Amino acid sequence: MKFYDTNALLNLGEKAFSEKFAIADITLRELESIKTNRNKDEEVKHKARKISRLLDEHYDLVKVIRVSNEDYDYPDEGIITAANNVYQNNINNFSFVTDDICCKLLARNVYNLPVEGTDFKESIYKGYKYIDGNTEQINELMSSEDFISSFVQNEYLIIHNKDDNTNKEMRFFDGEFLPLKLPPSKYIKGKNSLQRCALDLLNNPDITVASIMGGYGSGKTFIAMKMALYHVQEKGNHAHILGVRTPEGEGKEVGYLPGQLENKIDNFFTPLMQQLDGGEFELESLKQRGVLDCNIPFYLKGTTYNDTIMLCDEAEDLTEKEIKLIGTRLGSNSKVYFSGDYKQSVVNSSKENALVRMCNEFKGQNNFGCIYLSEDVRSTTSKMFANLFNGVRDD
């Protein structure tokens, strides 16, 4: 019999219900918690809602093992304890299935359970890994060569320590985990671990290509704009900011909008303007002083931008040709920030989106970094609409 950990069940979805299996009662509680946890990725919450529905529809396939609260200190230990109870009665036909690194380590090394993964592979590089456990589990995991070798350059590690319920973030580079180097908190302060990783990424002088992806209200545009202004106005690391956005599809479609080119471009840059403390007045001041300029990819051909931060907002609507065009415009002491969310693309909202493909192909290069911001921090009402029409309704 297969015994599924919570994350394995989430990753497998409907595939798990092709045969009978067992889970711990703790998994049921974790699923309910995930559905309402504001710190969880919207995709994960969607999966939890879907699994809850499937468990209700296929209750005859599922054996729920109850574990006393006295038998464990942490949920992972409780799930493994439940799995071990099943294993004792099915020793010749048992497999504990988990994709959680800490859980896998504990089940295999402490309980001697036969362990396997789901072969679940994330097709979108999100720029970070997340682990949680107690101090002993975390230390053992981080000393493992297999764990370290799974990281690429500039990938982030977010650790949740269950002993004191704290989070810690680090960046992996040249075989070691480095502490974050953040801008002054009086200028900008991350609201969660992923935002802090994004700020560290955009504060790194060696990163020339950065992608800040994220869902509705995650702060991707705000962070990118504030950090571009920080490097130009506060630190003097660069002289100019070039805002780049594309209308639907190819750049030629700007012709459908009324007015001169400048007016057409301004219509696209309202989201960037909203990130400025002084709004349209600061935007105009920055433009008059030559600090900020705006353009669309179609009109970048034949140009070179030195000493510039290119800020490409709504980058999920860029095509492969446009991304290549933008990147090849970078001159000396220049870098580019892409911000967007492939799920909101009007061009390609699949995992073959050009921005997603760029991140997957640049993954591991020394001067590239990526972070996917999953939490909507805009407002409670914004979160309501972000979750609307996700296909499965909560009970």
Side-chain angles (χ1 to χ4, degrees):
M1 172 175 281
K2 289 187 183 296
F3 190 104
Y4 290 122
D5 181 23
T6 306
N7 67 79
L9 196 58
L10 290 171
N11 289 338
L12 284 169
E14 293 182 8
K15 294 179 182 178
F17 294 84
S18 61
E19 58 182 334
K20 291 185 177 182
F21 62 88
I23 59 174
D25 61 337
I26 302 166
T27 288
L28 298 177
R29 294 196 293 272
E30 286 189 330
L31 289 172
E32 288 302 311
S33 175
I34 289 170
K35 285 166 24 176
T36 57
N37 190 330
R38 70 182 186 88
N39 294 320
K40 291 293 184 181
D41 189 305
E42 292 301 329
E43 285 189 23
V44 175
K45 291 197 283 190
H46 173 71
K47 289 179 181 179
R49 292 191 291 271
K50 183 176 182 179
I51 287 296
S52 296
R53 176 176 59 80
L54 290 169
L55 287 170
D56 182 52
E57 293 176 356
H58 303 287
Y59 64 90
D60 55 322
L61 295 177
V62 186
K63 183 176 183 179
V64 180
I65 309 300
R66 187 170 182 175
V67 186
S68 170
N69 291 341
E70 298 176 356
D71 293 339
Y72 64 92
D73 294 323
Y74 304 102
D76 284 353
E77 291 181 282
I79 290 173
I80 295 171
T81 298
N84 189 50
N85 292 341
V86 175
Y87 177 53
Q88 300 307 315
N89 297 318
N90 298 272
I91 196 165
N92 295 319
N93 186 28
F94 176 87
S95 180
F96 179 60
V97 186
T98 180
D99 291 324
D100 184 278
I101 302 174
C102 284
C103 203
K104 188 177 294 184
L105 191 68
L106 183 63
R108 181 180 292 149
N109 295 352
V110 177
Y111 287 81
N112 296 314
L113 295 180
V115 179
E116 64 179 79
T118 65
D119 292 328
F120 170 78
K121 294 183 179 179
E122 181 64 77
S123 58
I124 298 175
Y125 176 59
K126 295 186 175 181
Y128 70 94
K129 288 183 174 70
Y130 176 89
I131 63 171
D132 64 347
N134 60 35
T135 302
E136 183 179 354
Q137 292 170 338
I138 292 169
N139 289 339
E140 184 174 358
L141 180 62
M142 292 190 65
S143 64
S144 167
E145 291 185 6
D146 290 340
F147 178 71
I148 295 175
S149 65
S150 70
F151 281 79
V152 298
Q153 298 284 66
N154 297 318
E155 187 172 12
Y156 288 87
L157 171 62
I158 299 174
I159 301 172
H160 177 246
N161 192 319
K162 294 177 178 177
D163 285 338
D164 54 11
N165 196 33
T166 58
N167 286 342
K168 185 176 182 180
E169 308 88 24
M170 293 176 283
R171 179 175 63 92
F172 183 81
F173 193 81
D174 281 354
E176 60 180 331
F177 293 99
L178 305 174
L180 302 190
K181 294 183 178 180
L182 301 173
S185 58
K186 64 181 180 180
Y187 182 81
I188 184 172
K189 186 176 182 180
K191 294 184 177 181
N192 52 45
S193 288
L194 287 173
Q195 284 199 357
R196 286 191 289 274
C197 291
L199 291 174
D200 175 81
L201 178 66
L202 299 182
N203 198 38
N204 189 331
D206 297 322
I207 299 293
T208 58
V209 182
S211 176
I212 310 299
M213 298 191 291
Y216 301 96
S218 60
K220 54 188 180 293
T221 300
F222 172 75
I223 287 175
M225 186 64 171
K226 289 292 285 187
M227 287 305 294
L229 288 169
Y230 175 72
H231 286 299
V232 172
Q233 292 192 298
E234 301 289 325
K235 301 297 290 183
N237 297 327
H238 305 272
H240 311 284
I241 299 172
L242 177 68
V244 179
R245 287 188 79 198
T246 182
E248 282 187 29
E250 299 296 330
K252 63 184 179 182
E253 295 187 13
V254 74
Y256 296 138
L257 293 174
Q260 300 299 315
L261 174 61
E262 183 177 356
N263 294 330
K264 298 176 183 180
I265 293 175
D266 284 345
N267 288 331
F268 297 133
F269 291 96
T270 299
L272 294 181
M273 180 188 70
Q274 291 178 339
Q275 312 313 320
L276 298 172
D277 294 334
E280 60 181 311
F281 299 103
E282 184 176 355
L283 178 69
E284 188 60 33
S285 174
L286 291 171
K287 290 170 67 175
Q288 289 182 0
R289 289 187 284 122
V291 174
L292 177 65
D293 195 8
C294 305
N295 213 330
I296 59 174
F298 186 78
Y299 294 100
L300 293 180
K301 295 177 181 179
T303 61
T304 299
Y305 289 90
N306 298 315
D307 207 20
T308 299
I309 294 180
M310 280 192 182
L311 181 54
C312 301
D313 191 35
E314 305 296 343
E316 71 273 6
D317 289 329
L318 295 170
T319 65
E320 293 178 12
K321 288 183 179 180
E322 287 172 330
I323 287 179
K324 182 176 288 189
L325 173 63
I326 291 168
T328 54
R329 301 306 95 197
L330 295 172
S332 62
N333 192 37
S334 291
K335 56 178 61 179
V336 58
Y337 297 164
F338 293 95
S339 65
D341 180 16
Y342 76 97
K343 298 176 200 173
Q344 300 181 51
S345 174
V346 296
V347 177
N348 184 348
S349 60
S350 77
K351 295 179 181 180
E352 290 301 308
N353 179 276
L355 180 63
V356 172
R357 292 192 61 192
M358 182 201 76
C359 293
N360 287 341
E361 292 194 25
F362 281 169
K363 170 184 174 181
Q365 295 196 30
N366 288 353
N367 65 332
F368 171 76
C370 167
I371 280 292
Y372 191 97
L373 306 175
S374 58
E375 182 186 350
D376 187 335
V377 297
R378 184 173 289 151
S379 68
T380 302
T381 304
S382 175
K383 289 181 182 181
M384 288 172 56
F385 282 93
N387 294 327
L388 187 63
F389 308 131
N390 278 344
V392 180
R393 183 174 178 175
D394 292 335
D395 295 333

